[in-house]
Amino acid sequence: MGPATPAKPDVQSCLAARSEAVNRALDRFIPAALTRPATIHRAMRYSLFAGGKRLRPALCLAAAAACQGTETAAMPLACAVECIHTYSLIHDDLPAMDDDDFRRGKPTSHKVFGEGIAVLAGDALLTQAFEIAAQSKGWPRYSHRQIILEIARASGSLQLIAGQVADLEGEGRRLSASQLRYIHERKTSALLCCSVRLGGMSANCTRAQLHALTEFGSNVGLAFQIIDDILDVTQTSEKLGKTAGKDHAVRKATYPAIVGLEKSRRIAAKLTRRAFDALTAFRGRAWELQALAEFLLSRDR
Ligand code: GRG
């Protein structure tokens, strides 16, 4: 695998290179499509390779680079997080949850494979994440136990699932800005922040570096979800690759709905500034993290 820090600081080609490396690694970690029972492996691969942006693995690898780690050491953790992210999308799209027909510009898993297999593909990807993470090397400051705990906590009933539960229960109800923040911090920010922290841990980062990465990841994570809310009302379904305007249609609480579009943009910009401030500790070595955050916070899809 290549060096942790690509030579040229161009974010688009950097993200493309990181994506390719992640795709190659995922291809090695996930059982081949024809492995019995073939349906489940085809379904896992269908969603994993449906064209996701690979933002979380890219952030993980960039965090490792900021702490002078290697892509090789960070890659299993980057792939584990992408498996969990993909599982959460498959389950979120199910009729029992958000009931979506399109994701990443393609029919959703249950539309192609049926609900039973879609549930199982999500379950298998969640389990696969821990199998992959357990194959990582382990580092002097961070044991396998800590790495597994980190992933379990971010995706468990106090974070990712807590956010999804509050999201489900909040549908059609008037939520306050702080209730909405509770949802966004758990549903989106927790896994994004976990990706960045895992990158640092894979580079055996110091406690101070881990603290700075946490500050960066949590602020970028929340800003990312606020921007997602904004895009849902300002972009078309074709552009987003999923049903636009869905949040409004199901009366889901979003930042634009609660505080308005302009204030949502101001809050996202403030969180972004806080995230960048956290990177000063890395004295220039976090350029890729910064460039990725700038890119994903100025995205239009
Ligand atoms: C089912 C446990 C469980 C959780 C579901 C992921 C999720 C929680 C809900 C999906 C809807 C949503 C708005 C999630 C917030 C996170 C988010 C913005 C996901 C989309 O992430 P991208 O843009 O997607 O990185 P790609 O497809 O590029 O990977």
Side-chain angles (χ1 to χ4, degrees):
M1 278 177 197
T5 311
K8 203 162 159 249
D10 159 7
V11 69
Q12 299 268 15
S13 49
C14 189
L15 185 56
R18 293 298 199 192
S19 279
E20 272 176 38
V22 169
N23 289 345
R24 282 195 301 273
L26 280 171
D27 189 42
R28 282 196 306 273
F29 282 127
I30 308 294
L34 292 178
T35 307
R36 279 172 72 189
T39 324
I40 191 70
H41 299 122
R42 274 182 37 235
M44 288 162 77
R45 285 174 166 271
Y46 174 80
S47 294
L48 257 186
F49 296 106
K53 297 185 283 297
R54 308 293 193 223
L55 296 176
R56 291 154 194 79
L59 284 167
C60 177
L61 299 175
C67 302
Q68 292 168 298
T70 65
E71 190 173 276
T72 309
M75 190 56 90
L77 306 181
C79 290
V81 170
E82 187 65 10
C83 288
I84 290 182
H85 168 59
T86 305
Y87 124 74
S88 77
L89 297 178
I90 296 174
H91 280 194
D92 182 66
D93 289 334
L94 287 167
M97 297 219 197
D98 234 20
D99 194 9
D100 258 305
D101 293 352
F102 286 95
R103 168 72 65 184
R104 294 172 166 172
K106 291 180 154 187
T108 42
S109 180
H110 63 274
K111 285 276 150 195
V112 178
F113 299 96
E115 280 180 48
I117 292 294
V119 169
L120 291 169
D123 293 343
L125 284 168
L126 173 60
T127 316
Q128 183 80 54
F130 288 94
E131 187 177 331
I132 297 173
Q135 291 170 48
S136 61
K137 187 162 91 28
W139 300 270
R141 288 195 189 96
Y142 306 99
S143 60
H144 274 95
R145 178 178 169 274
Q146 273 174 289
I147 299 283
I148 298 295
L149 263 179
E150 182 78 24
I151 302 173
R153 286 195 174 131
S155 46
S157 65
L158 298 179
Q159 295 293 333
L160 178 64
I161 292 182
Q164 183 73 351
V165 170
D167 193 54
L168 270 181
E169 292 180 344
E171 259 177 41
R173 289 180 39 218
R174 273 182 80 86
L175 298 187
S176 65
S178 76
Q179 286 171 317
L180 182 60
R181 187 179 167 121
Y182 172 96
I183 294 177
H184 283 10
E185 279 175 348
R186 282 155 189 80
K187 198 177 78 171
T188 310
S189 188
L191 194 59
L192 225 134
C193 185
C194 168
S195 315
V196 175
R197 282 171 54 88
L198 287 171
M201 291 162 104
S202 79
N204 200 36
C205 70
T206 63
R207 296 284 160 188
Q209 285 175 322
L210 191 59
H211 179 77
L213 291 175
T214 308
E215 186 67 12
F216 170 81
S218 56
N219 282 296
V220 167
L222 187 54
F224 180 70
Q225 182 57 59
I226 296 175
I227 288 161
D228 207 68
D229 286 358
I230 295 173
L231 293 177
D232 186 71
V233 286
T234 56
Q235 296 292 351
T236 61
S237 302
E238 291 68 37
K239 187 108 183 178
L240 296 180
K242 61 179 183 180
T243 319
K246 182 86 194 301
D247 295 341
H248 181 69
V250 299
R251 295 201 298 136
K252 189 170 270 195
T254 62
Y255 267 77
I258 289 181
V259 303
L261 209 46
E262 272 324 299
K263 189 159 180 205
S264 302
R265 288 195 172 114
R266 280 204 301 279
I267 297 174
K270 191 168 154 198
L271 292 164
T272 307
R273 276 196 302 278
R274 275 199 204 141
F276 291 162
D277 286 349
L279 295 182
T280 51
F282 294 94
R283 285 191 239 103
R285 282 193 313 274
W287 66 263
E288 189 187 350
L289 264 187
Q290 169 140 2
L292 277 172
E294 270 162 12
F295 173 75
L296 67 94
L297 299 177
S298 62
R299 74 203 160 100
D300 60 3
R301 73 179 180 100

